[in-house]
Amino acid sequence: MLIQHPLGGRSCQALPGSIVALAVLVVFGPAGCRWGADDGPSSSDPDVVVHDAVDDLGTADGFEDDVGAGGIGPAALFSSLALPVFTVDIPGEDWKGALDEALICPANCDNQQPYLEAVVTFDNPATGQTEVWDQVGVRFRGNSSACEGVNPRIGLKFSFNEFVQGRRFHGVKKLNFLGTEGDNSLMREVLAYELLRSLGVPVAEADYALLSINGEVPRIYPLVQESDDKTFIEHAFPDEPEGHLYKVEGYCGFANFEYLGPMTDVYVPMYLPKAGADEEHLGDDLIPFLGCFTLEDSSDFRECFEAWADLDLFLEAVAADLVMPDFDAAVNAGQNFSLYFRGTDGRALLIPWDKDAAFRTGYCREDDPLDCTPPWSMRPEGLSRLMSAYDELLRTKMQGILLGPLSPEVLDARIDQLEERLAPLVAEDPDIQAHVDGWDWDAAVGVLRAEVAERRAVLAETLWPCAPGEWTSDGDWWCVLCNEDGSGFVDDSGEDVSDHNGCTEDVCDPLVGVTHTPLSDIPCWPDDDPCVSEGECVDGVCVGGDPTGCGDGAPCVVTVCDGDGECSDEEIPHGEHCDD
């Protein structure tokens, strides 16, 4: 099957059997599946809009016009209702070699990875027009992941403003196509961002896209919004976009939330000024914010922190990092997050990014399951101080996450949805089907499910640590638990909560109490009476069963059934009435 382009008869290799709502062509050179000289879009065609270096939409001022006049904007671009399709043609036979040659390794904070130029052609479903975007930068994404080459698939980054300053593509400047980078399920980053957004934490939009390179069969990639530029701030904070964002990357240094004095230069590049920020702004917000962590008195620290941070949302991000283990995240490695100081009130938010290691439990300590710090890193002292100062509030937030977005009803159901959605695309992805570098997608999804279930069980024991009916050591909250007392289950006040029904299975769930699961097709005795013949459980109810027959009808003898279901004869005393 071929997919025919509506303009000029262009055709390329068939895409997987899914609804394609957005089609994008990225052209690097003369080879591969591309617009030909006779069949491609032309700037003279009225249905073709060319966005080059001098186009109005190629300037920063064109953002509002772009989204308002046929632009779809970030929310629609990353919507699961549409599957963007990108095709990349790179000059030469070895496209990986071309991108490899452009890499600067080993990666460090002084290396700004260079881009190759490209042309992007986009069929805009909002206008019916074909948009040609000139001078688009493309490179491998990631730093250590790209340089070390240990993943089945390396991601790509597209930059629409690399060679045309200020230009935006439907409300964004950059697009990230994630490789595996340790996540062969291709789900962890998407799930993590969805969980964080459900808590109100501002994070990048994320969904999926198909990408074909040099005419190859399209591969499936998680598609993620850039989270450190002005377009992200305008999308995440539409009512207050004039704040300052500072990005923390691991290869630029370890962010310990340490106050280093009033001079701004010592904080860069550890806290790299990005959207809306310059080095001079560090003294306005970041430096006094970090100064809070020098205060020894707990009350003084809390007062200072709450003056400089949005306490609720900051702690939501920290709680999510603790519940959703990620050895590469802020609480475990002091990296892969940004601090954004809002323009309206100057208060800080913690914005996580790069969540492809989310839900990884391998580095979590048995004696402290909330510590998932890898051997090569450490927890930032500042965040340890924060966690100690707001221990009770953080515990409450973690309990809420466990009972809400991390619960089986929410997270497991979402994994089911993604698995069903991705399965047909995975079935036609040649790298996954060829098990490149041992890539087993089904197994990876199974590992994700197992790690999520394991994390839930561990957190249930960790976040509800006291026995039923007991106060915690600080006496500030009451455990809501169930426990077995030898004959059944009791609740937090010691009251019996077993139903004593042989046709249900009683299970003590520390999150919700005792549950009673109806059973069927097993033997039972109505009212647990051994002197009634065997019945059968049907949906939790014992049905059937007749009184046990005892005795042979002898006069002046009474035959009875005892508590063990055994018959015995008792003679009626002389002179007493009997039935004969």
Side-chain angles (χ1 to χ4, degrees):
M1 168 183 171
L2 294 179
I3 294 181
Q4 194 79 8
H5 193 279
L7 299 177
R10 173 185 177 272
S11 60
C12 287
Q13 191 166 358
L15 299 175
S18 58
I19 298 175
V20 179
L22 303 175
V24 179
L25 171 71
V26 181
V27 183
F28 270 84
C33 180
R34 66 188 192 282
W35 294 110
D38 299 325
D39 62 0
S42 165
S43 60
S44 61
D45 192 316
D47 290 327
V48 175
V49 178
V50 178
H51 298 292
D52 56 21
V54 298
D55 193 284
D56 289 341
L57 292 182
T59 67
D61 293 336
F63 169 66
E64 184 174 348
D65 292 336
D66 184 4
V67 175
I72 57 176
L77 189 62
F78 296 94
S79 169
S80 61
L81 299 177
L83 183 66
V85 182
F86 295 78
T87 301
V88 179
D89 289 342
I90 302 176
E93 297 181 359
D94 183 10
W95 63 268
K96 288 186 179 179
L99 292 177
D100 273 335
E101 188 175 347
L103 277 175
I104 301 176
C105 295
N108 60 62
C109 203
D110 296 326
N111 294 341
Q112 297 298 316
Q113 300 290 3
Y115 288 85
L116 303 180
E117 284 196 32
V119 175
V120 176
T121 301
F122 172 64
D123 296 334
N124 189 329
T127 64
Q129 293 179 319
T130 297
E131 303 170 358
V132 181
W133 297 78
D134 224 347
Q135 294 178 270
V136 178
V138 178
R139 66 169 174 84
F140 278 137
R141 73 170 302 277
N143 291 289
S144 59
S145 59
C147 288
E148 293 171 4
V150 296
N151 299 293
R153 178 173 296 163
I154 301 176
L156 292 172
K157 183 187 290 286
F158 289 1
S159 174
F160 292 86
N161 68 322
E162 178 67 18
F163 301 108
V164 183
Q165 186 176 6
R167 183 173 62 173
R168 306 177 185 208
F169 173 81
H170 295 278
V172 301
K173 293 181 178 180
K174 294 178 174 65
L175 292 174
N176 293 283
F177 299 82
L178 270 57
T180 50
E181 299 172 14
D183 176 24
N184 288 352
S185 75
L186 303 178
M187 293 185 186
R188 294 176 188 264
E189 185 129 358
V190 173
L191 291 170
Y193 283 146
E194 288 179 352
L195 187 150
L196 286 160
R197 275 195 298 275
S198 75
L199 303 175
V201 179
V203 291
E205 298 281 354
D207 199 65
Y208 293 93
L210 288 173
L211 176 62
S212 174
I213 303 176
N214 279 19
E216 297 176 353
V217 174
R219 272 77 166 166
I220 184 69
Y221 288 77
L223 181 67
V224 179
Q225 180 185 20
E226 190 80 350
S227 63
D228 62 10
D229 63 22
K230 191 68 173 176
T231 62
F232 166 72
I233 297 302
E234 290 168 337
H235 176 64
F237 304 94
D239 298 326
E240 45 188 36
E242 301 304 322
H244 301 150
L245 186 139
Y246 307 96
K247 185 177 183 180
V248 176
E249 298 192 65
Y251 62 91
C252 290
F254 173 74
N256 205 26
F257 287 78
E258 181 182 5
Y259 177 74
L260 302 174
M263 304 303 294
T264 60
D265 59 328
V266 297
Y267 294 91
V268 180
M270 185 185 308
Y271 299 94
L272 191 63
K274 299 293 282 189
D278 294 313
E279 184 177 326
E280 62 186 33
H281 294 126
L282 289 164
D284 298 334
D285 39 41
L286 179 70
I287 293 177
F289 167 75
L290 294 178
C292 296
F293 293 89
T294 66
L295 300 175
E296 295 182 2
D297 182 79
S298 296
S299 297
D300 292 342
F301 168 73
R302 286 194 292 267
E303 181 180 359
C304 181
F305 185 83
E306 290 170 29
W308 280 102
D310 183 318
L311 179 66
D312 182 62
L313 287 181
F314 203 104
L315 291 186
E316 288 285 10
V318 173
D321 257 3
L322 292 168
V323 169
M324 183 174 54
D326 181 346
F327 63 83
D328 219 14
V331 299
N332 295 314
Q335 63 181 22
N336 291 344
F337 68 93
S338 297
L339 293 173
Y340 180 65
F341 293 85
R342 291 188 301 226
T344 51
D345 59 11
R347 282 182 163 83
L349 303 175
L350 190 149
I351 301 178
W353 56 272
D354 194 11
K355 303 301 294 181
D356 50 65
F359 308 104
R360 292 287 187 194
T361 59
Y363 294 106
C364 298
R365 291 168 46 185
E366 290 187 11
D367 61 333
D368 184 4
L370 296 180
D371 187 349
C372 301
T373 304
W376 60 86
S377 190
M378 60 183 292
R379 174 163 291 169
E381 292 181 8
L383 290 184
S384 294
R385 174 80 184 282
L386 182 70
M387 291 165 57
S388 176
Y390 294 99
D391 175 67
E392 298 167 25
L393 184 53
L394 272 173
R395 182 184 295 274
T396 300
K397 287 185 177 296
M398 288 188 285
Q399 290 172 335
I401 296 172
L402 185 59
L403 295 171
L406 200 68
S407 67
E409 294 78 11
V410 178
L411 186 56
D412 290 6
R414 182 58 177 148
I415 294 175
D416 290 343
Q417 291 176 347
L418 289 183
E419 185 175 27
E420 181 178 1
R421 181 185 175 200
L422 295 180
L425 302 173
V426 166
E428 300 189 45
D429 189 304
D431 295 338
I432 302 177
Q433 295 307 308
H435 299 287
V436 172
D437 293 333
W439 191 350
D440 188 330
W441 181 74
D442 292 315
V445 175
V447 169
L448 171 62
R449 291 183 186 278
E451 288 185 315
V452 168
E454 175 191 354
R455 189 61 175 170
R456 269 197 295 261
V458 169
L459 288 173
E461 297 179 1
T462 304
L463 298 178
W464 282 269
C466 58
E470 292 182 357
W471 294 95
T472 56
S473 58
D474 56 16
D476 284 338
W477 59 279
W478 179 259
C479 288
V480 181
L481 275 173
C482 50
N483 197 19
E484 190 168 9
D485 68 353
S487 60
F489 293 106
V490 295
D491 65 9
D492 59 344
S493 63
E495 182 179 349
D496 183 4
V497 290
S498 296
D499 64 359
H500 302 286
N501 179 357
C503 287
T504 64
E505 180 184 14
D506 292 354
V507 176
C508 176
D509 186 333
L511 300 182
V512 297
V514 172
T515 60
H516 312 286
T517 304
L519 303 176
S520 295
D521 302 325
I522 63 173
C524 62
W525 287 262
D527 299 321
D528 289 332
D529 186 353
C531 293
V532 177
S533 64
E534 179 180 298
E536 185 177 80
C537 292
V538 178
D539 293 330
V541 178
C542 187
V543 297
D546 298 314
T548 300
C550 284
D552 55 6
C556 296
V557 174
V558 176
T559 304
V560 297
C561 177
D562 63 19
D564 295 323
E566 299 294 333
C567 295
S568 61
D569 293 333
E570 295 181 3
E571 291 186 3
I572 299 175
H574 179 73
E576 290 190 9
H577 176 76
C578 64
D579 295 328
D580 192 350

